[in-house]
Amino acid sequence: MPDTQKADPTEAKPLGRGAMAARVAADIPEGWCVNLGIGIPTLVADHVPVEREVIFHSENGVLGMGPAPAKGHENPWLINAGKQHVTLRPGGSFTHHADSFAIIRGGHLDLCVLGAFEVAENGDVANWATSENDTAPAVGGAMDLAAGAKRLWVVMEHTTKDGRPRLVQRCSYPLTALGAASRVYTNLAVLDITPRGFVVRDMIPGLSLEALQARTEARLHLPA
Amino acid sequence: MANGFVDRERGGWTSMIDKTVRSMAEAMAGIADGSTILLGGFGAVGQPNALLDGLIEQGATDLTVVANNAGTGHVGLARLMELGRVRRIICSYPRSVGSVVFEEMFRAGKLELELVPQGTLAERMRAAGAGIPAFFTPTAYGTKLAAGKETREINGRHCVLEHALPGDVALVEAWEADRWGNLTYRLSGRNFNPVMAMAAKLTIVQTQHIVELGALDPQCVVTPGIFVNRVLHVPYGDPPL
């Protein structure tokens, strides 16, 4: 996917949405059972090669989702949590909603990848409402996924459109879950969340730690 | 429910179990004002649209509706709300593309909303069906959706007390049904339907296919008929693409 972000030519080039998704996909090992949230997380599936057996789960009771159907080959009875038409791989199965969320809440998912507005250095995640008095809020399965999966990775832009940091000391938006995220993938870097806070695992080529820190409210650490 | 009728061939009274009903009016009979209605479906799939239209026609009002979404456009659940028949909605994802009626009525204070995490919503109904009055879950701990709720630390995890959510009526869409009310579902059309079927006092089903008793593979029955009260044959085809 082409990078559509405007970048200062003297600066490192931030990843586009597709490249962010591909970066996440590269870290998902064969055999994991994974739930992908709406937005950039959904794109992650497109970057896992079909021959790598990763089982994708969707909270509306679909286990073993395959690639998107070709136009004209959609099955009207087969959708994902984002209400998009999907396919089922051989070995796939259906559950009702309570069992689907038993998969999530019972700790059976190896990984959940969600988008977010903010992630704090203690792993708090805010991804479902943009203010305390959101006029018509919607939460869906985000709180169940964040609390229930074995690991939660967040994929999001490093800053807001107007340049405000999203990696913060404490979230300002309403929380989805406390201390839930263990890793963040942004358009600039990959960061682990540890007892020390954010530890930089990887940065895009040409970016300095100082430049990354300047776009981050929380303090950044290097691996020990 | 056993319907007694005259068996013309044998000329005597028989009372075999037959939960199929012949008309929408019969399907909707007795739904009272103030009822809690559990409404199956996720997106456009597995949603009992014909039963919703039947409920609109039937007239019950002051309803509490439990559903994942809060309707789109001006049909089905959105229409029921627009007619002022819904006092309160309990759902996880009310705001979606086309949820104009919900958004307008909620902002205008004409509709109460209880927002529940989707897994907690499903589990609260499962609990109701299984005779579990309440349970603790880590989901939503420390968030505004747990505000005011009892909490407890169990095995080192902070948990929130959630109560069972029983319905007076469940409206369910099935793929196949027999006269005992045994049900199968179509692909992701299963979703909330089997959970809601368990959790209501009166479970009303619309089904694409009615089959002879014994025709369903017992191993493939998802909802056994014990959870079902009425079955109406509504062969409408496929949900819109």
Side-chain angles (χ1 to χ4, degrees):
Chain A
M1 185 178 281
D3 194 330
T4 52
Q5 295 224 335
K6 274 187 225 148
D8 183 327
T10 62
E11 280 197 355
K13 198 172 174 229
L15 302 182
R17 289 162 57 89
M20 290 164 72
R23 182 66 189 80
V24 176
D27 288 346
I28 300 177
E30 186 152 28
W32 275 17
C33 186
V34 180
N35 183 295
L36 301 172
I38 293 166
I40 301 176
T42 303
L43 304 177
V44 170
D46 301 337
H47 296 276
V48 174
V50 181
E51 61 275 14
R52 199 195 302 166
E53 289 199 330
V54 172
I55 299 174
F56 288 108
H57 172 257
S58 189
E59 50 269 43
N60 58 322
V62 188
L63 192 59
M65 265 189 302
K71 228 182 163 63
H73 289 81
E74 298 91 349
N75 184 324
W77 293 89
L78 184 44
I79 60 170
N80 65 10
K83 322 236 158 88
Q84 300 159 311
H85 290 98
V86 294
T87 57
L88 196 72
R89 286 178 67 145
S93 57
F94 297 101
T95 60
H96 62 60
H97 244 83
D99 279 353
S100 180
F101 276 87
I103 289 171
I104 294 168
R105 292 150 66 103
H108 305 283
L109 291 176
D110 295 291
L111 171 67
C112 173
V113 184
L114 290 178
F117 301 125
E118 289 176 326
V119 177
E121 60 189 358
N122 62 358
D124 289 358
V125 176
N127 90 334
W128 69 281
T130 49
S131 78
E132 285 297 337
N133 9 313
D134 199 326
T135 41
V139 68
M143 289 189 180
D144 308 283
L145 285 159
K150 284 182 195 153
R151 3 181 129 60
L152 174 64
W153 295 351
V154 171
V155 53
M156 63 180 191
E157 306 285 331
H158 204 88
T159 58
T160 62
K161 284 201 177 75
D162 51 4
R164 246 172 5 104
R166 292 173 183 267
L167 278 70
V168 295
Q169 289 177 294
R170 290 291 175 268
C171 292
S172 60
Y173 291 143
L175 293 178
T176 306
L178 277 63
S182 59
R183 193 179 288 171
V184 185
Y185 293 82
T186 78
N187 51 342
L188 302 178
V190 181
L191 308 100
D192 278 332
I193 296 170
T194 74
R196 290 195 294 151
F198 289 111
V199 172
V200 182
R201 223 182 129 84
D202 196 6
M203 286 188 289
I204 55 168
L207 187 71
S208 69
L209 185 64
E210 292 68 33
L212 187 65
Q213 181 68 73
R215 290 161 176 74
T216 310
E217 187 212 88
R219 169 113 188 269
L220 298 179
H221 303 271
L222 287 173
Chain B
M1 185 179 5
N3 294 334
F5 70 97
V6 176
D7 184 331
R8 283 168 214 281
E9 280 177 26
R10 281 187 290 166
W13 279 95
T14 159
S15 166
M16 67 180 193
I17 300 167
D18 187 4
K19 296 176 181 178
T20 60
V21 294
R22 272 84 194 156
S23 69
M24 183 60 81
E26 209 182 326
M28 293 294 127
I31 299 178
D33 291 353
S35 292
T36 295
I37 310 280
L38 313 181
L39 178 61
F42 186 94
V45 180
Q47 193 167 269
N49 290 318
L51 296 183
L52 258 174
D53 288 343
L55 181 61
I56 290 169
E57 183 71 28
Q58 189 264 1
T61 191
D62 191 33
L63 301 171
T64 294
V65 173
V66 184
N68 190 62
N69 303 93
T72 56
H74 295 269
V75 295
L77 176 55
R79 180 80 185 131
L80 191 67
M81 295 190 304
E82 205 169 29
L83 292 169
R85 306 260 294 279
V86 180
R87 179 172 59 81
R88 176 176 170 78
I89 181 155
I90 303 178
C91 69
S92 91
Y93 212 87
R95 188 181 51 195
S96 54
V97 180
S99 60
V100 282
V101 171
F102 162 77
E103 286 174 54
E104 273 173 29
M105 293 188 68
F106 180 68
R107 287 208 182 96
K110 292 178 181 160
L111 194 62
E112 293 171 32
L113 169 69
E114 180 180 346
L115 191 68
V116 182
Q118 200 170 131
T120 296
L121 188 66
E123 190 64 14
R124 285 177 62 192
M125 289 185 280
R126 197 198 73 80
I132 298 166
F135 57 90
F136 280 102
T137 175
T139 294
Y141 176 83
T143 74
K144 68 187 243 191
L145 296 191
K149 291 184 178 170
E150 188 179 333
T151 61
R152 189 178 298 181
E153 195 179 326
I154 300 173
N155 297 333
R157 280 202 91 174
H158 294 287
C159 298
V160 181
L161 183 67
E162 296 285 359
H163 287 84
L165 180 53
D168 296 301
V169 177
L171 303 183
V172 163
E173 193 202 20
W175 179 246
E176 300 162 303
D178 62 26
R179 65 178 169 82
W180 279 16
N182 293 308
L183 308 179
T184 70
Y185 301 91
R186 182 82 171 146
L187 309 186
S188 62
R190 188 177 304 196
N191 59 63
F192 279 97
N193 285 302
V195 188
M196 292 176 166
M198 291 171 67
K201 282 184 257 182
L202 173 64
T203 291
I204 307 170
V205 176
Q206 72 169 74
T207 182
Q208 295 269 356
H209 304 281
I210 298 252
V211 301
E212 288 297 312
L213 195 69
L216 295 176
D217 180 347
Q219 300 180 102
C220 296
V221 170
V222 176
T223 296
I226 195 161
F227 295 122
V228 171
N229 301 95
R230 298 175 188 168
V231 175
L232 182 67
H233 190 201
V234 183
Y236 70 84
D238 291 328
L241 268 177

